[in-house]
Amino acid sequence: MLTMDSFDFKGHTALVRVDLNVPQDGNGRITDDTRARAILPTIRKIIRDGGSAILISHLGRPKGKVVPSMSLRPVAEHLGELLGVPVLFATDCVGDDARAKASALKPGEVLVLENLRFHPEEEAGDADFSRSLGELGDVYVNDAFGSAHRAHASTTVVARSFPGNKLFGYLMQAEIDSVDKVLGDPKRPLLAIVGGSKVSSKLAVLENLVGKCDALIIGGGMANTFIKAKGGHVGSSLVEDDLLDTARSVLEKAATRQIEIHLPMDAVVADSFNASANTDICASDRVPDGWMALDIGPESVKTFREVALKAGTILWNGPMGVFEMKPFQQGTIAMAQAVAEATDKGAFTLVGGGDSVAAVNQFGLADRIGHVSTGGGAMLEYLEGKVLPGIAAVRE
Ligand code: AMP
């Protein structure tokens, strides 16, 4: 396998799949440029070597049509400011303009092509469209971990145009290395912390992790389904009644494998799903009718923190409560702090999946985590044990 460090890009034109899918406000202003910053090391290495880079990405969901508000032009301009070099732009990702600008690129230059998803062929994984993209460069770099679970033209099929000349960018490699570190041969004990709203969206993750970890903390809304499955009373909390048997079988599998399972013993409850609701604290298996558990309680925080501080490796996916509302964010803040403390003590920690990443960033703790993943859906599928098409296409 080629690597970013060993490959000399001098004289090469790299076709780089990146994730410039940045959030924007109603006026097209970029509200969070984390994704653009995350790909800078890869681009800098290419241009420093004396190569040139053609960046391809999607932005939003234009569904195969040109939608001007989803143009990558403003993102390309912002990227130029971050890089400190002018970034060229082509108004389409295939066709004459893209071809002309790509072939005129000089060493050290960067070209961004317009939103791939303006063409339906991108998501369809169309072979001709992939070939047209492939003709623009002579080496393929995939640095878009957030799109690695999609078998699209630019993430997967295009790699066929580069036999022996394809590699992962720094960001993608760091994502892969960190999951492999957790699921491969982790420093024990391996603790998985899973939270978020629903069991249904994380069932495959839970089932895979229960076969690998030494301890499992289940928090967030999904904990209620487990508590109810054990005979607890959860009032009006979020529960998936059709998954009670499934929850029981996860608990049984954990017991058979002698995995420590930690469910919240207490909860912050509210009389409505509202930041200004009346709140109280009660045992998590005795939530009064009409009340709902919206965060883990102080006893749970204390226990979960102690468990985290004993771990050699921690994987965290999903918040402990409705952290978007202030009265219910203490559990998630405390968990984020405990994971940061465990990192300080030498544990390898990986926070993956949209909302827990947002929480770690919001509480200013990202710098104290081993690896904060950029890919929500991709990370979930990787944790389920799936082979991601974007990874397989480069390794093939
Ligand atoms: P997920 O996308 O599955 O990781 O879920 C994240 C969402 O779960 C966040 O929007 C949280 O507000 C929500 N959540 C966490 N805890 C609870 C809870 N106890 N009840 C309802 N929703 C929750």
Side-chain angles (χ1 to χ4, degrees):
M1 278 283 301
L2 303 175
T3 64
M4 282 301 292
D5 283 333
S6 62
F7 192 85
D8 184 357
F9 286 90
K10 188 174 166 53
H12 286 284
T13 303
L15 183 71
V16 193
R17 178 46 160 111
V18 289
D19 190 0
L20 289 174
N21 186 30
V22 293
Q24 289 166 293
D25 65 15
N27 301 320
R29 227 182 342 233
I30 298 167
T31 52
D32 180 354
D33 67 355
T34 309
R35 287 185 175 142
R37 287 177 189 276
I39 56 165
L40 295 177
T42 295
I43 306 170
R44 286 201 176 112
K45 153 77 173 157
I46 294 168
I47 55 181
R48 207 176 40 235
D49 276 0
S52 54
I54 301 173
L55 310 185
I56 50 175
S57 176
H58 73 284
L59 175 65
R61 292 171 189 230
K63 304 215 171 100
K65 291 198 194 70
V66 176
V67 179
S69 63
M70 295 183 194
S71 171
L72 278 168
R73 189 188 285 276
V75 188
E77 281 164 15
H78 184 65
L79 191 67
E81 287 162 22
L82 293 176
L83 278 170
V85 301
V87 168
L88 307 165
F89 185 74
T91 53
D92 196 354
C93 60
V94 287
D96 293 343
D97 187 41
R99 259 196 309 269
K101 284 183 175 144
S103 57
L105 269 187
K106 295 188 205 62
E109 286 186 339
V110 179
L111 167 67
V112 173
L113 307 185
E114 185 56 287
N115 195 342
L116 292 158
R117 288 194 189 165
F118 284 177
H119 293 266
E121 292 87 350
E122 160 64 359
E123 290 183 74
D126 182 82
D128 290 336
F129 178 77
S130 305
R131 223 171 290 121
S132 302
L133 289 174
E135 281 164 9
L136 300 174
D138 57 45
V139 54
Y140 173 68
V141 178
N142 190 340
D143 210 18
F145 181 72
S147 303
H149 57 319
R150 312 263 187 227
H152 293 169
S154 67
T155 58
T156 306
V157 189
V158 71
R160 290 186 203 140
S161 298
F162 301 88
N165 244 7
K166 48 190 178 177
L167 60 154
F168 297 125
Y170 283 122
L171 172 65
M172 181 91 154
Q173 190 68 58
E175 299 272 8
I176 295 171
D177 289 349
S178 60
V179 188
D180 289 350
K181 216 160 153 179
V182 171
L183 299 183
D185 185 18
K187 191 165 124 198
R188 304 264 170 194
L190 167 61
L191 165 67
I193 307 168
V194 184
S197 55
K198 289 184 175 172
V199 180
S200 48
S201 60
K202 308 241 170 112
L203 191 57
V205 174
L206 282 169
E207 282 176 339
N208 191 32
L209 291 178
V210 112
K212 297 189 188 295
C213 63
D214 306 299
L216 175 62
I217 288 176
I218 300 176
M222 68 166 65
N224 300 311
T225 301
F226 286 89
I227 292 165
K228 186 163 178 182
K230 289 178 77 180
H233 189 88
V234 295
S236 307
S237 303
L238 178 71
V239 160
E240 287 164 285
D241 282 311
D242 53 332
L243 289 178
L244 294 174
D245 282 341
T246 308
R248 267 179 223 114
S249 85
V250 170
L251 293 174
E252 276 161 24
K253 188 172 172 192
T256 315
R257 290 204 58 244
Q258 295 182 315
I259 289 167
E260 267 180 52
I261 285 240
H262 300 273
L263 288 165
M265 53 281 275
D266 59 351
V268 178
V269 292
D271 59 357
S272 68
F273 191 82
N274 200 307
S276 52
N278 293 308
T279 64
D280 203 353
I281 287 164
C282 72
S284 58
D285 57 354
R286 270 173 303 191
V287 178
D289 289 336
W291 290 70
M292 58 191 82
L294 295 185
D295 195 8
I296 57 172
E299 282 302 312
S300 312
V301 163
K302 194 163 161 256
T303 307
F304 291 2
R305 182 174 175 276
E306 283 162 11
V307 174
L309 292 182
K310 281 192 293 197
T313 307
I314 302 179
L315 164 71
W316 181 22
N317 182 295
M320 295 290 99
V322 184
F323 76 103
E324 300 93 333
M325 299 186 203
K326 212 156 188 197
F328 315 113
Q329 60 178 212
Q330 277 315 312
T332 304
I333 294 183
M335 203 73 256
Q337 279 166 342
V339 174
E341 259 181 77
T343 319
D344 293 343
K345 284 181 60 186
F348 176 71
T349 57
L350 165 61
V351 178
D355 276 315
S356 28
V357 170
V360 161
N361 287 327
Q362 185 181 324
F363 309 141
L365 290 165
D367 290 348
R368 287 174 59 203
I369 306 291
H371 183 77
V372 179
S373 177
T374 55
M379 180 53 83
L380 266 189
E381 289 197 22
Y382 205 173
L383 294 175
E384 286 170 12
K386 284 189 188 156
V387 176
L388 304 188
I391 294 180
V394 171
R395 284 189 175 150
E396 252 157 31

mmCIF file of all heavy atoms in Angstrom, residues 10-34:
data_model
loop_
_atom_site.group_PDB
_atom_site.id
_atom_site.type_symbol
_atom_site.label_atom_id
_atom_site.label_comp_id
_atom_site.label_asym_id
_atom_site.label_seq_id
_atom_site.Cartn_x
_atom_site.Cartn_y
_atom_site.Cartn_z
ATOM 1 N N LYS A 10 5.765 14.878 -6.457
ATOM 2 C CA LYS A 10 6.433 15.763 -7.421
ATOM 3 C C LYS A 10 6.068 15.372 -8.864
ATOM 4 O O LYS A 10 6.192 14.208 -9.251
ATOM 5 C CB LYS A 10 7.945 15.669 -7.230
ATOM 6 C CG LYS A 10 8.726 16.683 -8.028
ATOM 7 C CD LYS A 10 10.203 16.587 -7.624
ATOM 8 C CE LYS A 10 11.134 17.285 -8.560
ATOM 9 N NZ LYS A 10 10.863 18.654 -8.857
ATOM 10 N N GLY A 11 5.571 16.335 -9.597
ATOM 11 C CA GLY A 11 5.217 16.096 -11.000
ATOM 12 C C GLY A 11 3.892 15.373 -11.199
ATOM 13 O O GLY A 11 3.490 15.124 -12.324
ATOM 14 N N HIS A 12 3.226 15.019 -10.100
ATOM 15 C CA HIS A 12 1.942 14.314 -10.221
ATOM 16 C C HIS A 12 0.755 15.267 -10.072
ATOM 17 O O HIS A 12 0.843 16.287 -9.384
ATOM 18 C CB HIS A 12 1.820 13.242 -9.122
ATOM 19 C CG HIS A 12 2.677 12.051 -9.368
ATOM 20 N ND1 HIS A 12 2.376 11.086 -10.298
ATOM 21 C CD2 HIS A 12 3.855 11.668 -8.788
ATOM 22 C CE1 HIS A 12 3.313 10.153 -10.288
ATOM 23 N NE2 HIS A 12 4.231 10.494 -9.384
ATOM 24 N N THR A 13 -0.345 14.886 -10.704
ATOM 25 C CA THR A 13 -1.608 15.585 -10.481
ATOM 26 C C THR A 13 -2.498 14.627 -9.696
ATOM 27 O O THR A 13 -2.913 13.587 -10.216
ATOM 28 C CB THR A 13 -2.290 15.933 -11.821
ATOM 29 O OG1 THR A 13 -1.371 16.710 -12.591
ATOM 30 C CG2 THR A 13 -3.564 16.731 -11.592
ATOM 31 N N ALA A 14 -2.754 14.972 -8.424
ATOM 32 C CA ALA A 14 -3.534 14.084 -7.565
ATOM 33 C C ALA A 14 -5.010 14.446 -7.637
ATOM 34 O O ALA A 14 -5.381 15.611 -7.490
ATOM 35 C CB ALA A 14 -3.035 14.184 -6.126
ATOM 36 N N LEU A 15 -5.826 13.436 -7.879
ATOM 37 C CA LEU A 15 -7.278 13.607 -7.807
ATOM 38 C C LEU A 15 -7.650 13.221 -6.371
ATOM 39 O O LEU A 15 -7.475 12.073 -5.969
ATOM 40 C CB LEU A 15 -7.980 12.686 -8.803
ATOM 41 C CG LEU A 15 -9.499 12.836 -8.848
ATOM 42 C CD1 LEU A 15 -9.904 14.162 -9.490
ATOM 43 C CD2 LEU A 15 -10.141 11.675 -9.610
ATOM 44 N N VAL A 16 -8.086 14.209 -5.586
ATOM 45 C CA VAL A 16 -8.271 13.965 -4.157
ATOM 46 C C VAL A 16 -9.755 14.055 -3.792
ATOM 47 O O VAL A 16 -10.365 15.122 -3.905
ATOM 48 C CB VAL A 16 -7.474 14.997 -3.310
ATOM 49 C CG1 VAL A 16 -7.424 14.545 -1.856
ATOM 50 C CG2 VAL A 16 -6.074 15.204 -3.863
ATOM 51 N N ARG A 17 -10.338 12.924 -3.349
ATOM 52 C CA ARG A 17 -11.730 12.970 -2.870
ATOM 53 C C ARG A 17 -11.685 13.469 -1.434
ATOM 54 O O ARG A 17 -11.075 12.842 -0.558
ATOM 55 C CB ARG A 17 -12.363 11.575 -2.942
ATOM 56 C CG ARG A 17 -13.828 11.462 -2.429
ATOM 57 C CD ARG A 17 -14.749 12.560 -2.940
ATOM 58 N NE ARG A 17 -16.160 12.223 -2.861
ATOM 59 C CZ ARG A 17 -17.035 12.813 -2.018
ATOM 60 N NH1 ARG A 17 -16.637 13.713 -1.147
ATOM 61 N NH2 ARG A 17 -18.310 12.485 -2.066
ATOM 62 N N VAL A 18 -12.282 14.632 -1.210
ATOM 63 C CA VAL A 18 -12.297 15.226 0.128
ATOM 64 C C VAL A 18 -13.751 15.419 0.549
ATOM 65 O O VAL A 18 -14.672 15.216 -0.238
ATOM 66 C CB VAL A 18 -11.548 16.584 0.150
ATOM 67 C CG1 VAL A 18 -10.050 16.374 -0.006
ATOM 68 C CG2 VAL A 18 -12.080 17.526 -0.929
ATOM 69 N N ASP A 19 -13.913 15.801 1.809
ATOM 70 C CA ASP A 19 -15.257 16.064 2.295
ATOM 71 C C ASP A 19 -15.365 17.552 2.618
ATOM 72 O O ASP A 19 -14.993 17.998 3.694
ATOM 73 C CB ASP A 19 -15.526 15.204 3.535
ATOM 74 C CG ASP A 19 -16.989 15.254 3.931
ATOM 75 O OD1 ASP A 19 -17.759 15.942 3.239
ATOM 76 O OD2 ASP A 19 -17.353 14.606 4.925
ATOM 77 N N LEU A 20 -15.839 18.326 1.614
ATOM 78 C CA LEU A 20 -16.022 19.768 1.812
ATOM 79 C C LEU A 20 -17.492 20.069 2.077
ATOM 80 O O LEU A 20 -17.981 21.169 1.806
ATOM 81 C CB LEU A 20 -15.520 20.539 0.586
ATOM 82 C CG LEU A 20 -13.999 20.547 0.403
ATOM 83 C CD1 LEU A 20 -13.613 21.203 -0.918
ATOM 84 C CD2 LEU A 20 -13.309 21.262 1.558
ATOM 85 N N ASN A 21 -18.169 19.091 2.624
ATOM 86 C CA ASN A 21 -19.600 19.207 2.902
ATOM 87 C C ASN A 21 -19.804 19.999 4.205
ATOM 88 O O ASN A 21 -20.282 19.481 5.202
ATOM 89 C CB ASN A 21 -20.163 17.784 3.019
ATOM 90 C CG ASN A 21 -21.655 17.759 3.164
ATOM 91 O OD1 ASN A 21 -22.354 18.638 2.652
ATOM 92 N ND2 ASN A 21 -22.153 16.769 3.883
ATOM 93 N N VAL A 22 -19.407 21.278 4.176
ATOM 94 C CA VAL A 22 -19.423 22.098 5.399
ATOM 95 C C VAL A 22 -20.828 22.651 5.661
ATOM 96 O O VAL A 22 -21.565 22.939 4.720
ATOM 97 C CB VAL A 22 -18.428 23.281 5.292
ATOM 98 C CG1 VAL A 22 -16.994 22.789 5.263
ATOM 99 C CG2 VAL A 22 -18.718 24.126 4.052
ATOM 100 N N PRO A 23 -21.190 22.794 6.938
ATOM 101 C CA PRO A 23 -22.489 23.413 7.214
ATOM 102 C C PRO A 23 -22.484 24.910 6.893
ATOM 103 O O PRO A 23 -21.485 25.597 7.124
ATOM 104 C CB PRO A 23 -22.684 23.182 8.719
ATOM 105 C CG PRO A 23 -21.391 22.694 9.260
ATOM 106 C CD PRO A 23 -20.486 22.346 8.142
ATOM 107 N N GLN A 24 -23.584 25.395 6.317
ATOM 108 C CA GLN A 24 -23.693 26.818 5.952
ATOM 109 C C GLN A 24 -24.999 27.385 6.490
ATOM 110 O O GLN A 24 -25.962 26.642 6.669
ATOM 111 C CB GLN A 24 -23.696 26.954 4.420
ATOM 112 C CG GLN A 24 -22.351 26.670 3.779
ATOM 113 C CD GLN A 24 -22.471 26.474 2.280
ATOM 114 O OE1 GLN A 24 -23.059 25.512 1.816
ATOM 115 N NE2 GLN A 24 -21.922 27.397 1.515
ATOM 116 N N ASP A 25 -25.023 28.703 6.715
ATOM 117 C CA ASP A 25 -26.293 29.314 7.139
ATOM 118 C C ASP A 25 -27.114 29.684 5.889
ATOM 119 O O ASP A 25 -26.699 29.407 4.758
ATOM 120 C CB ASP A 25 -26.053 30.519 8.071
ATOM 121 C CG ASP A 25 -25.349 31.666 7.362
ATOM 122 O OD1 ASP A 25 -25.292 31.655 6.113
ATOM 123 O OD2 ASP A 25 -24.860 32.582 8.045
ATOM 124 N N GLY A 26 -28.271 30.300 6.120
ATOM 125 C CA GLY A 26 -29.174 30.630 5.016
ATOM 126 C C GLY A 26 -28.537 31.521 3.960
ATOM 127 O O GLY A 26 -28.960 31.522 2.802
ATOM 128 N N ASN A 27 -27.492 32.285 4.337
ATOM 129 C CA ASN A 27 -26.838 33.177 3.369
ATOM 130 C C ASN A 27 -25.603 32.542 2.734
ATOM 131 O O ASN A 27 -24.800 33.229 2.111
ATOM 132 C CB ASN A 27 -26.417 34.483 4.058
ATOM 133 C CG ASN A 27 -27.611 35.196 4.650
ATOM 134 O OD1 ASN A 27 -28.675 35.221 4.033
ATOM 135 N ND2 ASN A 27 -27.454 35.734 5.857
ATOM 136 N N GLY A 28 -25.436 31.265 2.925
ATOM 137 C CA GLY A 28 -24.302 30.572 2.318
ATOM 138 C C GLY A 28 -22.995 30.750 3.083
ATOM 139 O O GLY A 28 -21.935 30.342 2.611
ATOM 140 N N ARG A 29 -23.072 31.370 4.277
ATOM 141 C CA ARG A 29 -21.850 31.548 5.057
ATOM 142 C C ARG A 29 -21.501 30.241 5.770
ATOM 143 O O ARG A 29 -22.394 29.573 6.302
ATOM 144 C CB ARG A 29 -22.039 32.655 6.078
ATOM 145 C CG ARG A 29 -20.868 33.637 6.080
ATOM 146 C CD ARG A 29 -21.037 34.694 7.122
ATOM 147 N NE ARG A 29 -22.416 34.767 7.558
ATOM 148 C CZ ARG A 29 -23.165 35.872 7.580
ATOM 149 N NH1 ARG A 29 -22.687 36.983 7.194
ATOM 150 N NH2 ARG A 29 -24.420 35.849 8.017
ATOM 151 N N ILE A 30 -20.214 29.890 5.768
ATOM 152 C CA ILE A 30 -19.792 28.642 6.406
ATOM 153 C C ILE A 30 -19.859 28.815 7.923
ATOM 154 O O ILE A 30 -19.250 29.735 8.475
ATOM 155 C CB ILE A 30 -18.350 28.285 5.960
ATOM 156 C CG1 ILE A 30 -18.334 28.065 4.441
ATOM 157 C CG2 ILE A 30 -17.828 27.065 6.703
ATOM 158 C CD1 ILE A 30 -16.956 28.023 3.830
ATOM 159 N N THR A 31 -20.635 27.949 8.584
ATOM 160 C CA THR A 31 -20.787 28.103 10.037
ATOM 161 C C THR A 31 -19.776 27.257 10.816
ATOM 162 O O THR A 31 -19.550 27.500 11.998
ATOM 163 C CB THR A 31 -22.213 27.717 10.472
ATOM 164 O OG1 THR A 31 -22.514 26.415 9.958
ATOM 165 C CG2 THR A 31 -23.234 28.713 9.947
ATOM 166 N N ASP A 32 -19.203 26.244 10.172
ATOM 167 C CA ASP A 32 -18.219 25.394 10.850
ATOM 168 C C ASP A 32 -17.281 24.836 9.774
ATOM 169 O O ASP A 32 -17.727 24.103 8.887
ATOM 170 C CB ASP A 32 -18.946 24.252 11.583
ATOM 171 C CG ASP A 32 -17.994 23.321 12.308
ATOM 172 O OD1 ASP A 32 -16.757 23.481 12.157
ATOM 173 O OD2 ASP A 32 -18.466 22.415 13.013
ATOM 174 N N ASP A 33 -15.993 25.208 9.841
ATOM 175 C CA ASP A 33 -15.077 24.782 8.765
ATOM 176 C C ASP A 33 -14.172 23.625 9.187
ATOM 177 O O ASP A 33 -13.119 23.394 8.576
ATOM 178 C CB ASP A 33 -14.264 25.977 8.243
ATOM 179 C CG ASP A 33 -13.285 26.525 9.274
ATOM 180 O OD1 ASP A 33 -13.294 26.050 10.430
ATOM 181 O OD2 ASP A 33 -12.506 27.430 8.909
ATOM 182 N N THR A 34 -14.613 22.869 10.217
ATOM 183 C CA THR A 34 -13.796 21.742 10.705
ATOM 184 C C THR A 34 -13.398 20.802 9.564
ATOM 185 O O THR A 34 -12.242 20.376 9.468
ATOM 186 C CB THR A 34 -14.580 20.931 11.764
ATOM 187 O OG1 THR A 34 -15.076 21.848 12.730
ATOM 188 C CG2 THR A 34 -13.701 19.900 12.432
#
